[in-house]
Amino acid sequence: MSAIKKEDVVAILEEIGVLLELKGENPFKTRAYHNAARIIKGLSADLLELVQSGEIRNIKGIGSALAEKITELVTTGRLEYYENLRAEFPDSLLELLRIPGLGPRKIKKLYEELGIQSIEELEVACRQHQLASLEGFGARTEEKILEGIQFIKQYSDRHHYHVALAVGERLYEAVSGHPAVIRAQLAGSLRRCKETVKDIDIVASAEDKDRDAIMDHFTGLDGVKSVVARGSTKSSIITEEGIQADLRIVSDMQFPYALHHFTGSREHNTAMRSHAKKLGIKMNEYGLFREDESLIACANEEEIFAVLGMDYIPPELREDMGEIEAALNHRLPGLVEKSDIRGIIHAHTTDSDGANSLEEMVEACRHLGMQYLGISDHSQSVYYANGLSVERLREQRRRIDELNAKYPDFRIFHGTECDILSDGSLDYPDDVLAELDFVIISVHQKLKMSEKEATERIVRAMANPHVTILGHPTGRLLLSREGYPLNYAELFAAAREYEVIIEINANPHRFDLDWRYVREAKERGIMLSVNPDAHSTAGLMDTFLGVGIARKGWLTAEDVLNAHSADEVEQIFVKKKGHSCVR
Ligand code: DGT
Ligand code: CA
Ligand code: ZN
């Protein structure tokens, strides 16, 4: 039996859909694969069991031909149909799909009429204005494609945080599990919880004599695609996911200094060194040294900071953004912890575009030990996400009331993720918004805006007295779409004036509001909420990734809406609404 993962099955089905589009197959056929991918992705049952029991044949939306293919894929780990299809096109052609705004239909045309097979060839063709003559393309398209290519080049060597974290944790387990390893820790941008990560850094300590055995173990691990460098103090590998990981091995005495150094950031390190210098101490990855070159022994990172007269600086804050001064003055905030989270706000259900039902979402949230869940499906004009009409929204309310009655120890708040329309008005009438416990407002349509347009649109929406939370403030998608520009001073002034909470969207593709602005929002007296924007039960877990971003923004539990109890959150909602939550 193969060990193919559900995500891989989903990715292959999606890719088949795209390949069929590239071939110019009829839309029904291609859509069947995209639909199947979505269905499989949303399944809570084990895929292997569904295949073994034959149950896969009974799933609505998966026809018999598709069921056969999924069975072949899950049982053998391969799919001949896919491999043949894949062989019809050069690999580099599929790379073109990564360019924003370039879909299979356009790529097919570029391939057939201009013979373009790769990003490099496309870039040249754009510069020579070869596309302008093609039907459906123009000078504007050439410009947009060139911008897209620039974007990809700029970010192609970075990875989403959650992807790097999964790989990093797996490698960390493998390294720290080696019997000769004394201490080991993840370092670099991953430890600092940066929103994207270039490569994974691991620091370990061991006896000199054991280094080679550990390096052999590391470079020989399952899931290592290639070994970039193999030394006895440093080795680098590339994993199957295409992520580079560096392992550095030092003596146990050096471990704290090396860990601090390789955690970074570079800017933080530089600032630490210049502070140390003022005390007559030399600081580098090997140690802290007095003027006579003797080592100041530190057993761990905490002692390094103590020697330098500082409080311990959590890794998330090490960005040279005032943390050193704050640590010297004992003014670092007590950062919010994952365990401070009391409830989850911003969740979708199958009523709009979620993969799990209201009941399943509630069940899953209860299992996470939470006190409450804030349901916020899409609003009426978001037709592609099956947004709720007023009638369906009210019908959802009835089911929420029933569930609240069923679970007296748990609270379900009824809200919406209401679209901000292009003129800044909202997608439900005021009397409908008034019926809800809370209202998240977000921009999903007409994202191309100047700073002035975007700021005015959002500020106008925030002025509506029913609004509780501003969702994913910039609309960015990390590594693929820049958010619209905002005037943050105006945005925060409005949030303060209208008492609107700002979301830290904890979906790792968004992490929006950006942590660099989180601290500023807090300092202006704005509350933030760490929201998963969950579209499935698994998505609820993103909340905890978002806590890392909240920490990077210097937030304490007090600053975070959903680190408050159900009663406190209800009070905050009620204060904004001006009347009580209906129960
Ligand atoms: P990234 O780009 O996501 O991998 O970000 P980092 O911070 O993990 O950067 P990386 O992997 O190049 O280096 C890890 C840490 O090692 C970095 O945060 C600070 C330290 N480091 C590396 N090279 C230098 C350097 O030339 N000077 C200083 N001061 N520190 C360095
Ligand atoms: Ca790194
Ligand atoms: Zn949204």
Side-chain angles (χ1 to χ4, degrees):
M1 202 54 61
S2 80
I4 190 161
K5 288 202 254 21
K6 189 169 94 172
E7 300 89 84
D8 297 330
V9 173
V10 170
I12 288 175
L13 292 174
E14 255 159 19
E15 203 180 320
I16 292 176
V18 169
L19 290 166
L20 291 173
E21 281 177 74
L22 276 177
K23 272 188 80 155
E25 288 280 358
N26 85 55
F28 294 107
K29 195 164 166 186
T30 61
R31 212 170 303 144
Y33 281 92
H34 290 301
N35 283 341
R38 221 190 46 235
I39 292 166
I40 300 285
K41 193 172 171 184
L43 285 178
S44 40
D46 185 65
L47 189 55
L48 183 58
E49 275 169 30
L50 289 174
V51 162
Q52 283 172 334
S53 65
E55 232 3 68
I56 189 83
R57 277 165 241 279
N58 305 331
I59 295 178
K60 200 176 135 224
I62 296 187
S64 58
L66 255 159
E68 290 308 320
K69 294 198 177 73
I70 294 168
T71 303
E72 180 182 334
L73 192 51
V74 171
T75 50
T76 69
R78 295 182 48 184
L79 178 59
E80 204 184 332
Y81 175 74
Y82 165 66
E83 286 168 13
N84 291 340
L85 200 57
R86 185 77 220 235
E88 289 182 41
F89 301 96
D91 283 352
S92 59
L93 191 69
L94 295 175
E95 288 276 295
L96 294 180
L97 284 165
R98 293 175 38 222
I99 300 172
L102 209 55
R105 288 229 320 273
K106 283 197 166 138
I107 293 172
K108 178 168 154 38
K109 199 152 183 147
L110 292 169
Y111 182 49
E112 286 172 353
E113 303 200 10
L114 299 176
I116 290 169
Q117 299 196 6
S118 67
I119 292 183
E120 288 69 32
E121 287 170 357
L122 180 60
E123 188 172 1
V124 173
C126 284
R127 293 204 190 288
Q128 298 176 347
H129 302 298
Q130 292 180 29
L131 271 62
S133 60
L134 284 186
E135 201 194 318
F137 294 81
R140 276 276 304 138
T141 330
E142 286 180 341
E143 242 172 70
K144 278 182 67 182
I145 290 176
L146 283 175
E147 275 171 28
I149 292 175
Q150 266 322 100
F151 194 86
I152 289 181
K153 284 196 172 159
Q154 193 178 339
Y155 291 114
S156 61
D157 57 345
R158 301 198 69 83
H159 307 274
H160 287 109
Y161 172 78
H162 66 300
V163 175
L165 182 68
V167 175
E169 284 184 336
R170 194 179 75 210
L171 293 173
Y172 163 77
E173 292 295 332
V175 168
S176 63
H178 191 283
V181 168
I182 304 169
R183 287 190 267 182
Q185 207 155 320
L186 285 168
S189 50
L190 199 50
R191 183 164 180 235
R192 299 200 314 280
C193 213
K194 271 287 287 287
E195 67 276 22
T196 62
V197 170
K198 183 189 76 204
D199 55 26
I200 296 164
D201 301 279
I202 304 172
V203 181
S205 67
E207 305 272 339
D208 283 0
K209 65 173 173 45
D210 294 325
R211 289 179 179 197
D212 277 313
I214 299 167
M215 286 303 187
D216 285 341
H217 173 67
F218 179 63
T219 53
L221 286 173
D222 275 354
V224 171
K225 193 170 74 181
S226 60
V227 177
V228 181
R230 162 69 172 78
S232 59
T233 55
K234 180 186 171 187
S235 293
S236 299
I237 56 149
I238 311 264
T239 70
E240 274 166 1
E241 294 84 356
I243 305 182
Q244 177 165 330
D246 300 344
L247 171 64
R248 293 178 176 87
I249 306 180
V250 299
S251 72
D252 200 56
M253 203 176 61
Q254 282 173 357
F255 183 81
Y257 315 103
L259 176 63
H260 178 269
H261 174 83
F262 292 110
T263 295
S265 64
R266 215 164 288 230
E267 294 75 15
H268 166 87
N269 288 352
T270 307
M272 285 287 283
R273 283 173 191 196
S274 57
H275 169 70
K277 209 165 163 187
K278 283 186 216 152
L279 305 179
I281 295 172
K282 190 175 90 186
M283 178 177 193
N284 59 32
E285 62 260 55
Y286 308 108
L288 289 179
F289 302 96
R290 298 182 189 92
E291 263 147 19
D292 63 4
E293 301 279 302
S294 64
L295 178 79
I296 305 173
C298 295
N300 49 43
E301 268 188 342
E302 281 79 356
E303 293 189 13
I304 296 179
F305 288 108
V307 165
L308 298 174
M310 297 177 194
D311 289 342
Y312 176 76
I313 302 177
E316 294 91 336
L317 300 190
R318 301 184 196 169
E319 299 288 351
D320 190 26
M321 287 176 64
E323 72 276 13
I324 292 175
E325 208 196 337
L328 283 167
N329 298 321
H330 311 293
R331 287 223 304 267
L332 285 171
L335 299 181
V336 57
E337 310 260 354
K338 288 179 188 171
S339 58
D340 291 325
I341 297 298
R342 297 275 170 274
I344 294 179
I345 293 164
H346 197 163
H348 296 269
T349 73
T350 43
D351 291 339
S352 69
D353 62 346
N356 293 98
S357 67
L358 174 63
E359 289 79 357
E360 287 168 340
M361 294 300 278
V362 169
E363 237 352 90
C365 192
R366 282 166 52 82
H367 275 291
L368 289 173
M370 296 289 115
Q371 296 178 7
Y372 54 91
L373 175 64
I375 295 290
S376 56
D377 271 311
H378 288 289
S379 57
Q380 51 191 357
S381 79
V382 195
Y383 56 88
Y384 57 84
N386 193 21
L388 273 60
S389 63
V390 172
E391 209 170 285
R392 289 177 61 222
L393 184 70
R394 288 184 172 142
E395 186 275 327
Q396 182 179 59
R397 177 61 185 227
R398 281 194 288 280
R399 282 181 286 130
I400 286 179
D401 288 342
E402 277 170 28
L403 283 172
N404 268 325
K406 181 173 164 192
Y407 298 118
D409 61 337
F410 189 78
R411 281 298 307 266
I412 305 158
F413 293 110
H414 188 208
T416 173
E417 182 179 13
C418 182
D419 255 54
I420 301 176
L421 303 178
S422 48
D423 64 353
S425 62
L426 298 181
D427 195 22
Y428 287 123
D430 281 359
D431 60 324
V432 173
L433 295 176
E435 294 169 16
L436 297 163
D437 298 334
F438 69 100
V439 173
I440 300 176
I441 53 168
S442 308
V443 171
H444 291 116
Q445 310 181 55
K446 298 222 169 66
L447 300 173
K448 263 217 139 353
M449 292 178 281
S450 67
E451 180 179 305
K452 188 163 175 288
E453 286 166 340
T455 309
E456 281 175 8
R457 178 177 177 186
I458 292 172
V459 166
R460 186 177 160 214
M462 285 197 295
N464 182 306
H466 301 288
V467 172
T468 331
I469 301 175
L470 172 64
H472 45 73
T474 76
R476 78 173 177 188
L477 292 176
L478 291 166
L479 308 181
S480 78
R481 183 173 80 202
E482 213 81 71
Y484 34 81
L486 286 171
N487 180 325
Y488 287 91
E490 281 180 35
L491 183 82
F492 294 153
R496 179 68 204 259
E497 182 182 347
Y498 303 126
E499 293 182 51
V500 171
I501 296 160
I502 295 184
E503 172 175 277
I504 296 176
N505 192 294
N507 179 320
H509 292 273
R510 293 189 184 268
F511 286 152
D512 179 16
L513 187 65
D514 187 283
W515 59 268
R516 295 163 190 81
Y517 292 106
V518 168
R519 185 166 159 209
E520 193 181 330
K522 163 206 169 119
E523 279 165 4
R524 285 170 184 254
I526 296 163
M527 185 176 248
L528 293 113
S529 189
V530 179
N531 298 350
D533 198 351
H535 283 73
S536 65
T537 51
L540 293 169
M541 297 297 291
D542 286 348
T543 311
F544 303 101
L545 295 179
V547 172
I549 300 296
R551 289 170 63 85
K552 262 190 120 45
W554 292 52
L555 299 191
T556 66
E558 190 59 30
D559 302 321
V560 175
L561 174 69
N562 54 317
H564 290 259
S565 69
D567 287 341
E568 287 166 341
V569 168
E570 176 166 357
Q571 276 168 24
I572 291 165
F573 287 170
V574 164
K575 178 158 175 264
K576 184 69 208 248
K577 284 158 57 72
H579 60 83
S580 62
C581 292
V582 200
R583 275 225 244 183

